[in-house]
Amino acid sequence: MPQLTSGEFSLVYNLLSFTFAAMLASFIFFVLSREQVAPQYRGAMVMAALVVAIAGYHYFRIFDSWNAAYTISNNAFVSSGKPFNDAYRYVDWFLTVPLLIAELIAVMGLALDKRGSLTARLVIAAAAMIALGYPGEIATSTMTRAIFGTLSTLPFLYIVYELFVRLGPVINAEAGQAKVLLRNIRLLLIGTWGFYPIVFMIPLFFGDAKNATAVVAVQIGYCVADVLAKCGYGIMIYAIARAKTTAEAAKAPVAAGALATPSNR
Amino acid sequence: MPQLTSGEFSLVYNLLSFTFAAMLASFIFFVLSREQVAPQYRGAMVMAALVVAIAGYHYFRIFDSWNAAYTISNNAFVSSGKPFNDAYRYVDWFLTVPLLIAELIAVMGLALDKRGSLTARLVIAAAAMIALGYPGEIATSTMTRAIFGTLSTLPFLYIVYELFVRLGPVINAEAGQAKVLLRNIRLLLIGTWGFYPIVFMIPLFFGDAKNATAVVAVQIGYCVADVLAKCGYGIMIYAIARAKTTAEAAKAPVAAGALATPSNR
């Protein structure tokens, strides 16, 4: 690890702690808010809770690893000799990214026969995207980083294609607020997921994966992207489930009454 | 413990962390998803949650033990002098393997008079299988390892016999998706449980239980087997319970309505 100033070290340290707190709060929110949505959308809320629980665990470990990787010497933060374990992020994404895709499909409420094969294809593409990124992340050569970064983009482009070309008509068939929210969450997914490759490429601009500014910028970038793509995304999933619950309750007043009774909580 | 390269040490380190995260996520999923199945199958979901909670605790400890057993010296990972505690896995299996058997019998929904004695016989066989394997695992002599490995296989074969010969007709009497899933989970159980003895035998191929490649391969094998036999298996138990809940609700519309009532959650 490169030598850091006190300010650089603390910025990453506090941002990792902030991200853990955001994951913890989101987990509690998603667990407690399941009851506010109709039963058919609770699966999506459970997946949102799983994503932030897994991420919370990994941020706890990343925070500890960051701390252990540095020691103070002459007012500067220097490498303690222990490695900073970047692999936590990839293990996290390997588990959470397929869940984020499954979460979106679950909240759409597609017919069961269509849902299975679509979920399987997108989940495999998401896992491939992460697995192909990892060899680039741990590479010391920027060329290897660029090659695996490019390979990892291919399954990402396939996911974008499925979300726009295949799922476009499904989203357009929705009504009112749910339609607007589904369009927005698709943009959030593509925007945040598109942000990760930019962070991944930061070391290329510096020509060195162990440049101090590059190391700090990569940590900041991944934290911000994770908060938006996991907590923000989950809150939008909740908003969509709420909008669809309300719309469906308006259509079928009996079911709506049952859902609104106190004993239901 | 043998000397390891940074890559070998990190592979096991990250796989142990991954397995903990998988157990944590599965625990949350099984607890939150109980409500999606009929009351008679919730016992199976509770057992699935217990299994991954026990395993999650042990993986937390195994991760710490792995970390403590090594220290960095000249860029290589060498023994710190502290032992790596393999016994955690056996304590874990001693508790979880009988639960996995009980989980399967519970989701089958056998008549209570048949269930009790069958569960007792299989639980005792499962506990004997683990207890007989342990002296082999800690043995430094490969001969002792082979002897206890063979003894441990006898109760395993008895379990296979019960699952196919005795429970075969019960599974064949099921209908539709539940029948297919029950046949698949029986194969998953036998496939994953059959994988453990193969991992157990790895040191025999190297002629030395403390060979670096053997140590790394054993850890990878047990992690993969545990994720499949506990998380994957539990997800299949949930799928079976869901399929049976749906099928039973279709047969008895009143009960189906009851499932949707608030008091049932």
Side-chain angles (χ1 to χ4, degrees), chain A residues 81-240:
Chain A
K82 283 191 192 158
F84 175 59
N85 187 23
D86 257 330
Y88 283 132
R89 293 195 182 277
Y90 281 81
V91 173
D92 176 74
W93 295 335
F94 194 73
L95 287 163
T96 56
V97 169
L99 277 168
L100 288 169
I101 283 276
E103 206 176 311
L104 181 61
I105 298 169
V107 87
M108 283 185 179
L110 288 177
L112 249 150
D113 56 327
K114 284 188 193 172
R115 191 194 291 187
S117 70
L118 178 68
T119 306
R121 286 199 307 275
L122 288 177
V123 159
I124 291 168
M129 180 174 82
I130 305 305
L132 286 169
Y134 183 62
E137 184 75 59
I138 56 161
T140 44
S141 132
T142 51
M143 178 56 94
T144 315
R145 197 174 186 93
I147 291 169
F148 281 97
T150 309
L151 287 177
S152 173
T153 307
L154 301 178
F156 174 61
L157 293 177
Y158 169 73
I159 294 168
V160 173
Y161 163 80
E162 286 276 4
L163 289 178
F164 277 86
V165 181
R166 299 282 195 100
L167 285 175
V170 178
I171 292 175
N172 289 330
E174 295 273 348
Q177 213 193 338
K179 185 177 179 173
V180 177
L181 285 169
L182 277 168
R183 282 181 173 169
N184 289 346
I185 199 172
R186 189 171 59 178
L187 291 178
L188 176 69
L189 189 151
I190 290 163
T192 51
W193 290 23
F195 190 59
Y196 288 97
I198 296 171
V199 177
F200 181 91
M201 291 298 166
I202 288 174
L204 299 187
F205 308 140
F206 291 91
D208 176 10
K210 291 299 170 204
N211 174 288
T213 311
V215 164
V216 171
V218 165
Q219 294 309 316
I220 294 171
Y222 284 151
C223 285
V224 171
D226 272 350
V227 169
L228 291 174
K230 292 181 168 94
C231 309
Y233 182 88
I235 291 165
M236 284 192 75
I237 290 280
Y238 171 70
I240 294 164

Side-chain angles (χ1 to χ4, degrees), chain B:
Chain B
M1 300 299 290
Q3 181 177 324
L4 299 180
T5 65
S6 168
E8 286 169 336
F9 176 84
S10 298
L11 181 61
V12 174
Y13 177 95
N14 286 307
L15 198 59
L16 290 171
S17 175
F18 162 82
T19 309
F20 172 79
M23 297 297 166
L24 176 72
S26 301
F27 174 73
I28 297 167
F29 177 72
F30 297 146
V31 168
L32 297 184
S33 301
R34 268 175 313 148
E35 297 158 358
Q36 310 295 321
V37 306
Q40 63 267 37
Y41 304 122
R42 289 187 192 157
M45 295 304 297
V46 169
M47 285 188 261
L50 293 180
V51 165
V52 290
I54 296 166
Y57 162 73
H58 284 112
Y59 269 94
F60 196 87
R61 291 283 191 208
I62 295 169
F63 178 87
D64 282 351
S65 181
W66 178 256
N67 248 345
Y70 279 97
T71 185
I72 304 172
S73 168
N74 295 326
N75 268 329
F77 283 78
V78 295
S79 173
S80 69
K82 284 190 192 160
F84 174 59
N85 186 22
D86 257 331
Y88 284 132
R89 292 195 181 278
Y90 281 80
V91 174
D92 176 76
W93 295 335
F94 195 73
L95 288 164
T96 56
V97 168
L99 277 169
L100 288 169
I101 284 278
E103 206 176 309
L104 181 60
I105 298 168
V107 88
M108 282 184 180
L110 288 177
L112 253 156
D113 57 324
K114 285 189 191 170
R115 192 195 290 188
S117 69
L118 178 68
T119 306
R121 286 199 308 275
L122 288 177
V123 159
I124 291 168
M129 180 175 83
I130 304 304
L132 286 168
Y134 183 62
E137 183 76 59
I138 55 162
T140 44
S141 132
T142 51
M143 179 57 93
T144 315
R145 196 174 187 92
I147 290 168
F148 280 97
T150 309
L151 287 176
S152 172
T153 308
L154 302 177
F156 174 61
L157 292 176
Y158 169 72
I159 293 168
V160 173
Y161 164 80
E162 286 277 5
L163 289 179
F164 277 86
V165 181
R166 298 284 195 99
L167 286 176
V170 178
I171 292 174
N172 289 330
E174 295 274 348
Q177 214 194 338
K179 185 178 180 173
V180 177
L181 286 169
L182 277 168
R183 282 182 173 169
N184 289 348
I185 200 173
R186 188 171 58 177
L187 291 179
L188 177 69
L189 190 151
I190 290 163
T192 51
W193 290 22
F195 190 60
Y196 288 96
I198 295 170
V199 177
F200 181 91
M201 291 300 168
I202 287 174
L204 299 186
F205 308 140
F206 291 90
D208 176 9
K210 291 301 169 203
N211 174 287
T213 311
V215 165
V216 171
V218 165
Q219 294 308 316
I220 293 171
Y222 283 152
C223 284
V224 171
D226 272 350
V227 168
L228 291 174
K230 293 181 167 93
C231 309
Y233 183 87
I235 291 166
M236 282 192 76
I237 290 280
Y238 170 70
I240 293 165
R242 279 282 285 176
K244 293 182 85 165
T245 300
T246 310
E248 282 156 23
K251 264 190 232 159
V254 178
L259 197 75
T261 59
S263 56
N264 215 358
R265 291 205 193 97

